[in-house]
Amino acid sequence: MNLREDVHTAGIPVLCQACEARHRGVCGALDPNQLVTLAKASSKQTIEAGAELVGDMETVDHYSNVLAGVVKLTKTLSDGRQQIVGLQFAPDFLGRPFKSESAVNAEAATNVSLCSFPKGAIERMMRESPGLENRLLRQTLKELDEARDWMVTLGRKTAAEKVASFLLLIANHIDPSSGDEGRATTFDLPLTRAAIADFLGLTIETVSRQLSKLRAEGVISIENNRHVSVARRDRLEARAGH
Amino acid sequence: MNLREDVHTAGIPVLCQACEARHRGVCGALDPNQLVTLAKASSKQTIEAGAELVGDMETVDHYSNVLAGVVKLTKTLSDGRQQIVGLQFAPDFLGRPFKSESAVNAEAATNVSLCSFPKGAIERMMRESPGLENRLLRQTLKELDEARDWMVTLGRKTAAEKVASFLLLIANHIDPSSGDEGRATTFDLPLTRAAIADFLGLTIETVSRQLSKLRAEGVISIENNRHVSVARRDRLEARAGH
DNA sequence: CGATGCTTTGACTCCGTTCAAGATCGGTGG
DNA sequence: CCACCGATCTTGAACGGAGTCAAAGCATCG
């Protein structure tokens, strides 16, 4: 084992110093020495909205942390029907350990900033440092919880409930402070209508109609198609079917 | 409980000797000493179909391995609509590490045999033995892959495709040998029509109608409502929408 | 035997899709 | 600045697939 001899922020690579993933992400499990080793092999990159990060069935040789933006994970049937099976926000870990090929398609839903490192480097550190595996397990369990929540939405909720649930999901991610206050939550949708439809298992038209209905009923207001303001979150929650 | 004191087959507890979980399950990560320690605190139990194993929001104090039978994990909306979010077969691990309360309801879909151990014992061993955490990570990733596959089915497939996909899922679990051979695969459905409906996000009636259609078309045959024989698996696959 | 709980089948309804115009946004160039 | 354009989004009308309601068929078990 390595001796602890570094001063607190002294040995932290500049690449990592302001990085969210160092605290709340998987890198939080690494000590300064490991962080230096990993940072040497890492590279920060910016991807524009719509670009494909990882293709389905594609061999993957690197993993990443999402530093900013939203990544959507999709699956597509042979005839083109598509379903979003996961949304990743900062500081989520992007990649599927123990498999060389990806079973999903990863695409930048917004402009995205990533910190990428070679597959081998992570796998080596997983063997050395049990804390890293623990972080990955926790993140995977979190994603499984989210997937299961979403299965209820996909299988059992109406279109109106699905759209309300989606808006709450985004609102909670953008502004985690509880909505019990009177003031409105306001944010930009990170997804187009088409992406929202793929996420909810609906068509673009149905999503649009349900959003229009919520606006007509005064639950939300929309500007420029993307900017949403939730006037009363409790009314949205009532429509989400809990 | 019943642990043999004399050394036999390298000190493996009798409880574990014929256990599938020792090879393919999480216990495969443990050495004989750990196995003995865990076996001391473990107990095998049999549960009859329909019994509730873990209630939603319930505090959980033990984890289990599924030794035989099928466990269904469900989520229920406030108005009673229900969705199955996971099916567990032997030798799956049953439990949610790092959370004291369960977010799902676990119920025996068939008669089930479990090996249960106190939460604390597993958590202690996770700290001592990184191999155990690795096994849990792999199992969780597998469950996440399955959940994501199912999200596509729930969100984007028709009722006919959903039912065909379900039959294939069960057929592959009961008889993993590839269906490229001419002979028919035959099995008992571990789920009632109501459970199948909850799994597929459909109603009982729709499931029944789709099964009748497949039977009328000669793709499957059904006896006694439960016993299914898949005449030609390729025709079922064609209907599952891949 | 009937009694009970599943399952199947039929008739009708309704929610979300499909098909088809328009409307609005953002960018580009005259 | 405005005209034009493609992409995205909204709205309307008609259709169809799955849900709902209702009744009858079949198991299993006393």
Side-chain angles (χ1 to χ4, degrees):
Chain A
M1 294 280 177
N2 298 340
L3 290 176
R4 241 214 201 133
E5 50 196 3
D6 299 77
V7 189
H8 253 67
T9 55
I12 310 256
V14 277
L15 185 67
C16 309
Q17 280 188 22
C19 178
E20 209 181 339
R22 210 187 92 230
H23 304 291
R24 301 197 297 119
V26 289
C27 294
L30 304 175
D31 64 35
N33 284 335
Q34 293 174 307
L35 218 48
V36 167
T37 309
L38 187 58
K40 269 183 194 145
S42 302
S43 66
K44 215 169 143 180
Q45 47 188 296
T46 309
I47 286 114
E48 65 174 1
E52 185 180 76
L53 303 178
V54 184
D56 186 20
M57 294 284 107
E58 200 170 285
T59 305
V60 161
D61 57 349
H62 63 276
Y63 297 138
S64 309
N65 279 320
V66 179
L67 303 185
V70 180
V71 174
K72 55 178 192 180
L73 307 179
T74 65
K75 278 175 169 271
T76 308
L77 295 174
S78 49
D79 62 358
R81 282 174 289 175
Q82 201 171 52
Q83 175 68 45
I84 293 183
V85 296
L87 285 180
Q88 312 220 256
F89 302 84
D92 288 345
F93 176 83
L94 185 60
R96 169 59 164 92
F98 314 127
K99 278 214 170 153
S100 54
E101 290 191 354
S102 174
V104 299
N105 198 291
E107 188 181 323
T110 63
N111 287 347
V112 165
S113 167
L114 291 183
C115 180
S116 301
F117 15 78
K119 210 160 163 286
I122 288 288
E123 283 168 356
R124 202 174 316 116
M125 284 191 183
M126 269 179 57
R127 264 173 258 125
E128 291 166 6
S129 157
L132 180 57
E133 207 158 49
N134 183 277
R135 288 276 185 150
L136 282 172
L137 177 55
R138 283 171 191 272
Q139 147 120 9
T140 306
L141 284 164
K142 191 198 76 177
E143 285 183 33
L144 183 58
D145 287 344
E146 289 167 358
R148 287 177 168 166
D149 276 342
W150 213 251
M151 288 171 82
V152 180
T153 301
L154 287 173
R156 289 304 187 196
K157 289 191 185 172
T158 64
E161 290 169 332
K162 285 180 176 181
V163 170
S165 300
F166 169 75
L167 289 175
L168 283 171
L169 179 89
I170 299 300
N172 288 335
H173 250 288
I174 269 64
D175 180 11
S177 66
S178 66
D180 44 38
E181 309 191 17
R183 63 183 178 71
T185 313
T186 189
F187 54 88
D188 281 323
L189 287 177
L191 270 55
T192 64
R193 298 290 185 276
I196 297 173
D198 282 348
F199 190 51
L200 297 173
L202 297 171
T203 57
I204 300 177
E205 294 93 326
T206 301
V207 171
S208 181
R209 271 186 261 270
Q210 294 301 334
L211 285 173
S212 297
K213 194 152 71 111
L214 285 174
R215 196 186 28 181
E217 289 168 335
V219 182
I220 60 171
S221 61
I222 307 178
E223 281 167 26
N224 294 344
N225 290 341
R226 286 290 195 115
H227 192 74
V228 173
S229 182
V230 179
R232 301 244 343 250
R233 202 185 286 205
D234 54 348
R235 290 184 52 195
L236 202 53
E237 280 163 2
R239 278 153 221 266
H242 286 250
Chain B
M1 285 189 90
N2 41 1
L3 168 70
R4 249 169 65 173
E5 301 297 341
D6 62 289
V7 185
H8 184 249
T9 53
I12 309 260
V14 277
L15 187 67
C16 309
Q17 281 187 23
C19 179
E20 209 181 340
R22 210 186 91 228
H23 304 289
R24 301 197 295 119
V26 289
C27 293
L30 303 176
D31 62 35
N33 284 336
Q34 293 174 307
L35 219 47
V36 167
T37 310
L38 188 58
K40 268 184 194 145
S42 302
S43 66
K44 213 169 145 183
Q45 47 189 296
T46 309
I47 286 113
E48 65 175 2
E52 186 180 74
L53 303 178
V54 184
D56 185 19
M57 295 283 109
E58 199 171 287
T59 306
V60 160
D61 58 349
H62 63 277
Y63 297 138
S64 310
N65 279 321
V66 179
L67 303 185
V70 180
V71 174
K72 55 178 194 178
L73 307 179
T74 64
K75 279 176 169 271
T76 307
L77 296 174
S78 49
D79 62 357
R81 282 175 289 176
Q82 199 171 55
Q83 175 68 45
I84 293 183
V85 297
L87 286 180
Q88 313 220 257
F89 302 83
D92 289 346
F93 177 84
L94 185 60
R96 170 61 163 91
F98 313 128
K99 278 213 171 157
S100 55
E101 291 192 352
S102 175
V104 299
N105 197 291
E107 189 182 323
T110 64
N111 287 347
V112 165
S113 165
L114 292 183
C115 181
S116 302
F117 15 79
K119 209 158 164 285
I122 289 289
E123 283 167 355
R124 204 173 318 115
M125 285 190 183
M126 271 179 58
R127 264 173 257 123
E128 291 166 5
S129 160
L132 180 56
E133 207 159 49
N134 183 277
R135 289 276 184 147
L136 282 172
L137 177 55
R138 283 173 191 270
Q139 147 120 10
T140 306
L141 284 164
K142 191 198 76 178
E143 285 182 32
L144 183 57
D145 287 345
E146 289 167 357
R148 285 177 170 166
D149 277 342
W150 214 251
M151 289 172 80
V152 181
T153 301
L154 287 173
R156 289 303 185 197
K157 290 190 184 171
T158 64
E161 290 169 332
K162 285 179 177 181
V163 170
S165 299
F166 169 74
L167 289 175
L168 283 171
L169 179 88
I170 299 300
N172 289 334
H173 249 287
I174 270 65
D175 180 11
S177 68
S178 64
D180 44 36
E181 309 190 16
R183 61 182 179 72
T185 313
T186 187
F187 53 88
D188 281 322
L189 287 176
L191 271 55
T192 64
R193 299 291 185 277
I196 298 173
D198 283 349
F199 190 50
L200 296 172
L202 297 172
T203 58
I204 300 177
E205 295 95 325
T206 301
V207 171
S208 181
R209 271 187 260 270
Q210 294 302 333
L211 286 173
S212 297
K213 193 152 72 114
L214 285 173
R215 197 185 26 175
E217 289 167 335
V219 182
I220 61 171
S221 61
I222 307 179
E223 281 167 26
N224 292 344
N225 290 342
R226 286 290 194 111
H227 193 75
V228 173
S229 180
V230 179
R232 303 251 339 252
R233 201 183 289 205
D234 53 350
R235 290 186 49 200
L236 203 52
E237 280 162 4
R239 277 152 222 265
H242 285 255

